[in-house]
Amino acid sequence: MELGKSEIAMLSRFFRDENKLLLSSQGKLKQWLEQHFDLYHNGKGFVFTEQSKTRFRQEVELLYPRMNIRQGLPSQQNRLEVVEYVNNDKLADIKPNDQYVLVTSQSAINVFAREVVLAPTVSLRLPLDAIDIANLKSVIIVENLDVFDVWHQVKLEAKYQHSLVVYRGNDKSLAKGVKTLVNQLVQGTEVLLFPDLDPKGLEMAYTTQGVTGLLAPSLDDIQTKLSVYSQGSLFLRQLDSVTFLQKQQPQGWHDVQQLILNQHLAIMQQAVVLLGLRLRSFVR
């Protein structure tokens, strides 16, 4: 068992306070202390004298020889930096994708002040400081990676063909790098979400930070061409999202939302690409 960030922080605070001789601990820290040391516990915490506390600190420093246990772990370090202090790189505050985004575009991308044209199916994983964020006119967030990978096949309104396109991330919530990108956009930059046409996808339009509009086919295309691709069983598994949507104030995509809810539609992005349907923007 190794110490986590919170346990290291608790020990650091204890050692910095020279007058404190009772170390209150429970859970993982208590287990770790009992595993590595023979300490007296009075029912409320581990009890020390000034001398035993000094010996205890020295013993902890033998287990963590590269870290100043009084100071603890420095904050805002990535995994390469944190191994200077501890063996467990997962204790870093900054995760590998926190300052990176996976991007593509149907036109040139400005990377470190140089225009780069990507071949079809090619994307770039870029640090945020490589992107000319201040001059972006629009950003498109794509829900599914396989659709992101064939972005050159997606039909868009002309003004969005120059958009920077980013992959949302494969976690339940928006990837932190995408969140940071959206936070750094200048006022007036459009942020469009292209999700699945189902209740969960529409919920993302409300909950994804900074979204100013939804990308979806026309209502006529959804009704006449896409409805046969709907998965009724998937819709029924998303009733929590249905309830969420019914509580929201109408937005620019209200007609799309009502069509999906009234007809119990759950249509994947892949069907939109397969049929070559043009996306239009439903602005918030």
Side-chain angles (χ1 to χ4, degrees):
M1 177 187 296
E2 292 188 43
L3 293 176
K5 287 191 293 185
S6 61
E7 291 77 32
I8 290 174
M10 290 175 64
L11 283 177
S12 297
R13 289 193 295 269
F14 175 67
F15 288 127
R16 285 198 300 269
D17 188 345
E18 296 181 357
N19 297 319
K20 191 170 185 178
L21 298 176
L22 179 68
L23 175 57
S24 300
S25 64
Q26 57 185 358
K28 186 176 179 180
L29 179 56
K30 185 173 184 291
Q31 295 174 28
W32 184 83
L33 292 171
E34 292 174 340
Q35 178 182 346
H36 290 87
F37 306 98
D38 183 17
L39 302 173
Y40 171 65
H41 196 285
N42 69 356
K44 296 182 179 180
F46 294 98
V47 181
F48 297 86
T49 64
E50 291 183 8
Q51 294 76 19
S52 65
K53 181 176 179 179
T54 298
R55 288 196 302 272
F56 172 51
R57 176 179 55 78
Q58 292 169 344
E59 290 172 350
V60 172
E61 289 172 341
L62 290 175
L63 295 174
Y64 288 87
R66 302 193 303 277
M67 178 173 59
N68 184 325
I69 193 61
R70 287 192 178 95
Q71 295 178 0
L73 280 177
S75 61
Q76 295 304 305
Q77 291 200 315
N78 61 38
R79 291 184 177 178
L80 289 176
E81 293 167 334
V82 82
V83 294
E84 181 179 347
Y85 304 93
V86 293
N87 295 340
N88 186 0
D89 64 305
K90 303 301 189 296
L91 297 185
D93 289 330
I94 301 174
K95 304 300 186 291
N97 286 325
D98 287 357
Q99 297 174 331
Y100 285 76
V101 285
L102 189 62
V103 307
T104 190
S105 181
Q106 293 184 354
S107 62
I109 299 175
N110 198 321
V111 180
F112 288 121
R114 299 183 63 180
E115 286 197 345
V116 177
V117 177
L118 300 179
T121 74
V122 173
S123 58
L124 291 175
R125 181 175 178 269
L126 293 178
L128 292 175
D129 60 5
I131 302 170
D132 186 12
I133 295 176
N135 289 311
L136 292 175
K137 302 301 182 186
S138 56
V139 173
I140 297 173
I141 302 172
V142 181
E143 178 181 354
N144 295 313
L145 184 59
D146 52 351
V147 171
F148 173 87
D149 286 339
V150 294
W151 189 252
H152 64 286
Q153 297 181 25
V154 176
K155 294 185 178 180
L156 295 166
E157 298 176 51
K159 69 174 182 176
Y160 296 125
Q161 291 173 0
H162 300 281
S163 300
L164 182 73
V165 182
V166 300
Y167 172 50
R168 177 181 180 272
N170 58 5
D171 296 325
K172 291 183 179 180
S173 59
L174 193 69
K176 189 170 181 180
V178 180
K179 287 183 182 179
T180 305
L181 171 65
V182 171
N183 279 335
Q184 293 180 6
L185 295 174
V186 299
Q187 187 174 4
T189 305
E190 291 187 79
V191 180
L192 303 170
L193 177 70
F194 178 36
D196 291 326
L197 297 172
D198 59 9
K200 193 67 179 176
L202 287 175
E203 182 179 351
M204 289 180 191
Y206 287 96
T207 59
T208 299
Q209 180 177 329
V211 164
T212 62
L214 179 79
L215 285 179
S218 67
L219 295 176
D220 182 64
D221 281 346
I222 295 173
Q223 286 182 295
T224 63
K225 299 177 182 178
L226 284 170
S227 59
V228 294
Y229 291 88
S230 179
Q231 303 178 57
S233 59
L234 178 59
F235 182 93
L236 293 176
R237 294 199 299 271
Q238 298 184 2
L239 294 182
D240 286 347
S241 294
V242 172
T243 300
F244 171 87
L245 294 173
Q246 291 170 338
K247 296 178 180 179
Q248 305 309 307
Q249 293 294 321
Q251 301 293 330
W253 54 78
H254 181 70
D255 289 343
V256 176
Q257 177 174 312
Q258 290 306 107
L259 178 61
I260 289 174
L261 295 182
N262 292 338
Q263 297 193 14
H264 292 191
L265 299 178
I267 303 164
M268 300 297 96
Q269 290 179 300
Q270 291 83 347
V272 177
V273 178
L274 174 69
L275 297 180
L277 301 178
R278 185 172 300 278
L279 299 179
R280 55 157 296 187
S281 59
F282 296 84
V283 179
R284 193 163 203 160

